[in-house]
Amino acid sequence: MEDLWNIWFSELHRKSAGLTVKIKDILFSGKSDFQRIEVFDTEVFGKVLVLYGSIMISERDEFIYHEMITHVPLNVHPAPESVLVVGGGDGGTVREVLKHKDVKKVKVVEIDRMVVEVCKRFFPEISGGFDDPKVEIVYNDGARFMAETGERFDVVIIDSSDPVGPAEVLFQRQFYENVYRKLKEDGIMVAQTESPFYDREAISKIYRSFKQIFPIVSMYIASIPTYPSGLWSFGFCSKRFHPIHDFRGTKVDCASLRYYNPDVHVASFKLPNFIKELVE
Amino acid sequence: MEDLWNIWFSELHRKSAGLTVKIKDILFSGKSDFQRIEVFDTEVFGKVLVLYGSIMISERDEFIYHEMITHVPLNVHPAPESVLVVGGGDGGTVREVLKHKDVKKVKVVEIDRMVVEVCKRFFPEISGGFDDPKVEIVYNDGARFMAETGERFDVVIIDSSDPVGPAEVLFQRQFYENVYRKLKEDGIMVAQTESPFYDREAISKIYRSFKQIFPIVSMYIASIPTYPSGLWSFGFCSKRFHPIHDFRGTKVDCASLRYYNPDVHVASFKLPNFIKELVE
């Protein structure tokens, strides 16, 4: 029997091209103090979390984003004991951080408590790390936390949504300057930095800010099918360690990972010409 | 004034997820002896060629596919004088092949004359290479040509559409065996081999065939936003030359290219774990 429940989610760039996904079921649809939150079940991508109209994670490909935003910095820093995750309320980044045995403490600063609650309910295999005793969640505005905290960190991971809506402030220079100050003297910041195919002007601006603040700045990329254009970028910003020259091989069991491995670590920093021009 | 001409092209995987593109204008819609052919003008991707319901090229991102299917083999082979392109009726691969000054002859075997005619009319900047005196177009079934020709080639590029419709036969073992026989003793074949995210079973089967025929077989990948999942694979199959060990640097001016460069050449063979398992 044909299923006539014709509900589609379409995430469009400039209202004129993008990903469209047939919905099998609407598992959650609500509104927090900060944004709309939806959880859909889909045939191709499994369960999907949508924040502020954009797909944040899908069961089918979340491993790519979460492995790449985590294992790249944590395998470059020789002893990352304290890690701060800004955003990351779905828990995928925390799950990957906890695979590094040298990490003693993970702090998550998430603005939206409902994101964490929804993910604990619908994505337990992604958010399970929140129950680990090493992990502490602070519900606060990431920019305000970063300005005010007295703590310092080895690695800061900016696992934000897009620069529209609640995460907008996490793409501004003042915020990156505060991250720099709260990193230890050999600290590393990694941030998701949007699609190098679609968001070219925004990316150029972001990397100009990075370079005015950090001595070592590199972009790396990954293929993420549910993100706009399927091509995504990350900024590696560091006070001392170089992402390739100081990479001594991986400290996690790559056999348990599905995207990241030492070859991919190095290869992800080799940029196609049309991307390289954004950061030079 | 809002444009109410709400025509969308959607290319779906399993009828339930895929790319959707708003159409500004329908420039051509016809039916050849082999397939439907459409040319759309779109806001995000410019002009787009659709064969058998699938996007083959867009003005905005065709450079990625054409540079990667061409410059990888032609920079590994030390003296590629004779190149055969099977399919490739849009001309993008020929345009890139002609950037290699050591190439003396390019033969294109395209089954569908209407594809070439439509591309000459609507995509002159892509198909312009067909007018070069080094280029000869043969209108024939690629599989039949490969079985019957007495010619031998340094490099064969399988620039086919998907394994449904007219190109289905170009994904079968008998065809690859004929390519092997028509390659010179140090020849290289490169083929587009679909999405490693969506087409996993088909890819495993294709690479098993490759390995039964060729002594050197490697997959390489590229991000192509208009192709399903945005992640695409290519098979490098060779009698003698290794894609990395025998790569002596590029023989084309990479400043004129927009994706390919020597670092990308090497990096594109470094596969994420979930892709590596398809070809091991």
Side-chain angles (χ1 to χ4, degrees), chain A residues 2-276:
Chain A
E2 198 180 354
D3 178 8
L4 295 176
W5 200 61
N6 274 310
I7 300 185
W8 292 75
F9 168 77
S10 299
E11 183 175 340
L12 301 180
H13 171 74
R14 289 193 184 180
K15 299 184 184 174
S16 47
L19 185 70
T20 190
V21 183
K22 192 166 197 279
I23 293 174
K24 282 166 68 178
D25 202 357
I26 298 172
L27 301 176
F28 180 86
S29 181
K31 204 160 178 301
S32 73
D33 291 342
F34 304 98
Q35 57 199 333
R36 288 203 60 97
I37 301 177
E38 268 91 27
V39 179
F40 300 131
D41 193 16
T42 72
E43 191 176 319
V44 170
F45 296 114
K47 279 183 279 184
V48 168
L49 173 71
V50 175
L51 298 183
Y52 212 82
S54 297
I55 292 181
M56 286 298 115
I57 52 171
S58 88
E59 286 185 315
R60 179 87 188 277
D61 74 348
E62 57 88 15
F63 69 94
I64 303 173
Y65 175 86
H66 291 130
E67 291 184 11
M68 289 302 282
I69 203 169
T70 300
H71 301 305
V72 170
L74 292 186
N75 281 315
V76 172
H77 196 293
E81 295 192 358
S82 56
V83 176
L84 175 70
V85 179
V86 179
D90 54 68
T93 297
V94 166
R95 180 193 62 198
E96 297 303 316
V97 169
L98 291 171
K99 293 178 181 171
H100 286 261
K101 295 309 165 204
D102 34 10
V103 172
K104 294 191 167 57
K105 193 179 171 190
V106 190
K107 182 162 277 191
V108 180
V109 180
E110 166 61 55
I111 198 169
D112 194 341
R113 188 185 291 266
M114 194 188 279
V115 170
V116 176
E117 288 164 355
V118 165
C119 290
K120 280 186 169 176
R121 182 168 156 208
F122 292 103
F123 300 92
E125 57 303 315
I126 297 173
S127 59
F130 286 141
D131 297 329
D132 191 286
K134 291 177 183 168
V135 178
E136 179 194 356
I137 308 186
V138 177
Y139 294 105
N140 196 351
D141 175 86
R144 188 188 309 151
F145 174 88
M146 204 47 92
E148 294 174 357
T149 182
E151 285 183 270
R152 296 182 80 200
F153 302 92
D154 294 310
V155 172
V156 174
I157 298 176
I158 315 299
D159 179 7
S160 68
S161 48
D162 301 319
V164 290
E168 189 177 355
V169 69
L170 304 182
F171 289 84
Q172 291 167 4
R173 182 173 165 170
Q174 179 65 52
F175 171 69
Y176 302 132
E177 284 173 349
N178 285 330
V179 174
Y180 182 90
R181 274 194 286 272
K182 304 304 158 64
L183 277 172
K184 293 183 189 168
E185 67 285 352
D186 58 358
I188 298 170
M189 175 186 90
V190 161
Q192 77 85 359
T193 53
E194 304 293 297
S195 162
F197 191 78
Y198 283 147
D199 310 311
R200 295 174 64 79
E201 278 184 38
I203 287 179
S204 288
K205 188 163 167 254
I206 290 168
Y207 281 79
R208 276 198 301 274
S209 291
F210 286 168
K211 288 183 173 181
Q212 287 167 342
I213 301 167
F214 287 89
I216 296 167
V217 176
S218 297
M219 178 192 277
Y220 63 102
I221 54 176
S223 283
I224 305 178
T226 56
Y227 283 6
S229 85
L231 175 59
W232 212 248
S233 68
F234 301 87
F236 181 103
C237 300
S238 169
K239 292 189 175 185
R240 183 186 298 169
F241 299 115
H242 187 277
I244 306 293
H245 307 155
D246 293 311
F247 176 56
R248 307 268 172 254
T250 177
K251 293 179 283 177
V252 283
D253 172 20
C254 288
S256 74
L257 305 182
R258 296 179 58 208
Y259 193 92
Y260 180 89
N261 61 48
D263 282 344
V264 165
H265 179 112
V266 175
S268 68
F269 287 90
K270 309 303 184 191
L271 303 180
N273 295 349
F274 83 105
I275 302 178
K276 212 190 301 188

